[in-house]
Amino acid sequence: MATVEIYTSLFCPFCTRAKRLLTAKGVAFTEIGVDMRPARRAEMRERADERHTVPQIFINGVGIGGSDELHALDASGRLDEMLAAD
Protein backbone atom coordinates (compact mmCIF):
# COMPACT_ATOMS: atom_id res chain seq x y z
CA MET A 1 0.00 0.00 0.00
CA ALA A 2 1.12 3.53 -0.72
CA THR A 3 2.37 6.02 1.84
CA VAL A 4 0.01 8.99 2.01
CA GLU A 5 0.73 12.27 3.78
CA ILE A 6 -1.67 15.18 3.98
CA TYR A 7 -0.87 18.65 5.29
CA THR A 8 -3.97 20.14 6.89
CA SER A 9 -5.42 23.03 8.84
CA LEU A 10 -8.09 22.73 11.55
CA PHE A 11 -10.98 24.61 9.97
CA CYS A 12 -10.33 23.71 6.34
CA PRO A 13 -13.37 22.18 4.58
CA PHE A 14 -11.19 20.99 1.71
CA CYS A 15 -8.96 19.12 4.17
CA THR A 16 -12.03 17.43 5.64
CA ARG A 17 -13.25 16.51 2.16
CA ALA A 18 -9.89 14.97 1.18
CA LYS A 19 -9.58 13.03 4.46
CA ARG A 20 -13.16 11.77 4.04
CA LEU A 21 -12.35 10.36 0.59
CA LEU A 22 -9.17 8.66 1.77
CA THR A 23 -10.94 7.22 4.81
CA ALA A 24 -13.82 5.93 2.66
CA LYS A 25 -11.26 4.10 0.52
CA GLY A 26 -9.70 2.58 3.64
CA VAL A 27 -6.43 4.42 3.11
CA ALA A 28 -4.25 5.06 6.13
CA PHE A 29 -2.61 8.48 5.98
CA THR A 30 -0.36 10.65 8.06
CA GLU A 31 -1.93 14.00 8.84
CA ILE A 32 0.47 16.89 9.36
CA GLY A 33 -1.18 19.92 10.92
CA VAL A 34 0.28 23.28 9.95
CA ASP A 35 -1.71 25.55 12.28
CA MET A 36 0.62 27.44 14.61
CA ARG A 37 3.53 25.36 13.31
CA PRO A 38 5.62 27.56 11.01
CA ALA A 39 8.25 24.87 10.46
CA ARG A 40 5.62 22.41 9.19
CA ARG A 41 4.04 25.08 6.96
CA ALA A 42 7.48 25.88 5.51
CA GLU A 43 8.12 22.16 4.97
CA MET A 44 4.79 21.88 3.13
CA ARG A 45 5.55 24.86 0.92
CA GLU A 46 8.98 23.52 0.05
CA ARG A 47 7.61 20.08 -0.83
CA ALA A 48 4.61 21.51 -2.72
CA ASP A 49 6.47 23.88 -5.06
CA GLU A 50 5.69 26.88 -2.85
CA ARG A 51 1.92 26.29 -2.75
CA HIS A 52 0.49 27.89 0.38
CA THR A 53 -2.96 26.31 0.43
CA VAL A 54 -4.06 23.26 2.35
CA PRO A 55 -4.51 20.46 1.96
CA GLN A 56 -1.37 19.41 0.17
CA ILE A 57 -1.36 15.68 -0.46
CA PHE A 58 1.58 13.41 -1.16
CA ILE A 59 1.39 9.82 -2.33
CA ASN A 60 4.67 7.92 -2.08
CA GLY A 61 6.42 11.28 -1.71
CA VAL A 62 4.92 12.75 -4.89
CA GLY A 63 2.79 15.85 -4.51
CA ILE A 64 -0.59 15.52 -6.18
CA GLY A 65 -1.99 18.88 -5.07
CA GLY A 66 -5.09 19.45 -3.00
CA SER A 67 -8.59 18.11 -2.56
CA ASP A 68 -9.77 18.96 -6.09
CA GLU A 69 -6.83 17.12 -7.63
CA LEU A 70 -7.38 14.14 -5.31
CA HIS A 71 -11.03 13.90 -6.34
CA ALA A 72 -10.15 14.28 -10.03
CA LEU A 73 -7.67 11.40 -9.72
CA ASP A 74 -10.40 9.34 -8.06
CA ALA A 75 -12.93 10.14 -10.78
CA SER A 76 -10.45 9.12 -13.49
CA GLY A 77 -9.57 5.84 -11.72
CA ARG A 78 -5.91 6.83 -11.37
CA LEU A 79 -6.09 7.28 -7.61
CA ASP A 80 -6.64 3.58 -6.99
CA GLU A 81 -3.60 2.78 -9.17
CA MET A 82 -1.47 5.27 -7.25
CA LEU A 83 -2.63 3.95 -3.90
CA ALA A 84 -1.84 0.35 -4.90
CA ALA A 85 1.75 1.24 -5.86
CA ASP A 86 4.52 0.79 -3.31
Side-chain angles (χ1 to χ4, degrees), residues 9 15-16 20 23 28 32 35 39-40 53-54 57 63 67 86:
S9 182
C15 299
T16 301
R20 190 176 302 134
T23 299
I32 305 164
D35 292 316
R40 287 298 196 174
T53 58
V54 289
I57 304 161
S67 181
D86 286 330

Side-chain angles (χ1 to χ4, degrees), residues 10-67:
L10 286 175
F11 300 105
C12 165
F14 299 104
C15 299
T16 301
R17 187 171 177 243
K19 291 186 294 184
R20 190 176 302 134
L21 175 61
L22 293 170
T23 299
K25 290 186 156 297
V27 175
F29 56 88
T30 300
E31 183 173 1
I32 305 164
V34 299
D35 292 316
M36 307 300 287
R37 298 172 76 190
R40 287 298 196 174
R41 186 170 289 277
E43 173 186 284
M44 177 192 78
R45 288 176 45 200
E46 182 178 319
R47 291 183 71 193
D49 296 325
E50 294 304 316
R51 290 187 200 110
H52 297 153
T53 58
V54 289
Q56 288 300 317
I57 304 161
F58 294 83
I59 299 175
N60 290 331
V62 176
I64 63 158
S67 181

